[in-house]
Amino acid sequence: MTYNTQRDQMSLPEYGRYVFEMVKYIKTLPTKAQRQRGAETVVNIMANMNPQLREQPDAIWLIWDHLAYISNYELDIDYPYPVTRLDDDTAKPEPLKYPTNDIQQRQYGHLIEASLEKLAEMPDGQERDTLLRMVANQMKQSLFNWNRDVMDNEKVANDIERYTDGKVMLNLATFRFNPVQIMPKQGENHNSKKKKV
């Protein structure tokens, strides 16, 4: 008995072992006319196996491309369409470079640090005050989400001053933070209490 692990690997396994074996057999036929007839028969079988392909534009062309791919582009027949090499489409792309931004404090993240750099460059005015208010509130929320024990308005003010090299100072006497939003824990339903009617 021959196991599939001992057989040749199929290039398009969705068509199954029988189609793969038929294509291998067609490649061995002596005349081009016999190979052509065999290829047309196999394309009809492949089309019947995947009726959803018929809804796609140029579905038959795609099936002929699949036949050429299964035969490893070694089948000597007259293709009704120009053959598109599928191995070009399935080539592994180059790996993406992972951004290697060094974050000083992970609880704040890259966007907060970038915003603080922008704050340090901005001139005094309403736009800077608005951005400072947004960044400070987000920093406090991030501290709360990261570790509730270290969440402190003074820490936020000190971190802003340190990140901006003293160019931006948060006056805690006049600055009002937004209330921290408490997120429900995973699996906890915030509407679990029944309302009395």
Side-chain angles (χ1 to χ4, degrees):
M1 176 179 242
T2 310
Y3 293 100
N4 282 341
T5 54
Q6 298 168 326
R7 297 178 179 175
D8 295 336
Q9 188 174 356
M10 295 183 293
S11 43
L12 289 174
E14 59 264 28
Y15 288 109
R17 178 67 60 184
Y18 289 116
V19 169
F20 183 73
E21 294 297 330
M22 283 189 277
V23 173
K24 268 177 68 175
Y25 172 72
I26 292 168
K27 284 165 59 175
T28 64
L29 293 174
T31 66
K32 193 171 189 174
Q34 290 174 321
R35 289 192 299 271
Q36 188 72 36
R37 247 190 342 269
E40 289 168 2
T41 304
V42 170
V43 164
N44 287 333
I45 292 170
M46 291 164 73
N48 288 334
M49 289 175 77
N50 292 315
Q52 72 275 9
L53 279 179
R54 293 182 192 149
E55 298 170 8
Q56 293 182 10
D58 303 326
I60 295 297
W61 190 344
L62 180 65
I63 292 172
W64 280 101
D65 286 343
H66 286 177
L67 174 69
Y69 184 69
I70 291 170
S71 71
N72 206 16
Y73 302 102
E74 297 169 355
L75 189 57
D76 183 24
I77 58 169
D78 294 324
Y79 288 92
Y81 305 99
V83 176
T84 307
R85 292 189 69 90
L86 296 179
D87 49 359
D88 296 340
D89 293 342
T90 57
K92 235 181 182 177
E94 290 293 320
L96 292 173
K97 290 185 178 178
Y98 191 77
T100 55
N101 299 328
D102 291 330
I103 300 172
Q104 292 179 30
Q105 294 191 27
R106 289 187 176 201
Q107 68 267 21
Y108 296 136
H110 175 67
L111 292 178
I112 292 293
E113 290 186 358
S115 300
L116 287 166
E117 286 177 19
K118 178 77 174 164
L119 263 172
E121 299 168 0
M122 291 175 75
D124 286 338
Q126 186 177 357
E127 189 177 356
R128 180 181 176 184
D129 293 343
T130 303
L131 182 58
L132 176 60
R133 187 170 43 258
M134 290 169 56
V135 169
N137 281 305
Q138 183 56 49
M139 287 171 74
K140 184 172 178 180
Q141 182 69 47
S142 296
L143 278 174
F144 180 79
N145 293 340
W146 187 267
N147 185 355
R148 295 176 186 187
D149 296 335
V150 299
M151 185 200 69
D152 183 25
N153 295 350
E154 225 170 276
K155 176 164 177 43
V156 172
N158 291 338
D159 286 344
I160 289 173
E161 186 178 346
R162 186 174 47 80
Y163 270 108
T164 60
D165 296 325
K167 294 177 185 171
V168 180
M169 307 280 275
L170 189 65
N171 186 353
L172 290 176
T174 59
F175 188 82
R176 296 287 171 247
F177 284 97
N178 293 340
V180 173
Q181 296 180 356
I182 301 173
M183 302 295 187
K185 294 179 183 174
Q186 189 174 6
E188 185 179 283
N189 186 356
H190 58 14
N191 294 327
S192 58
K193 296 179 182 175
K194 291 183 179 178
K195 293 180 181 176
K196 293 181 180 179
V197 181

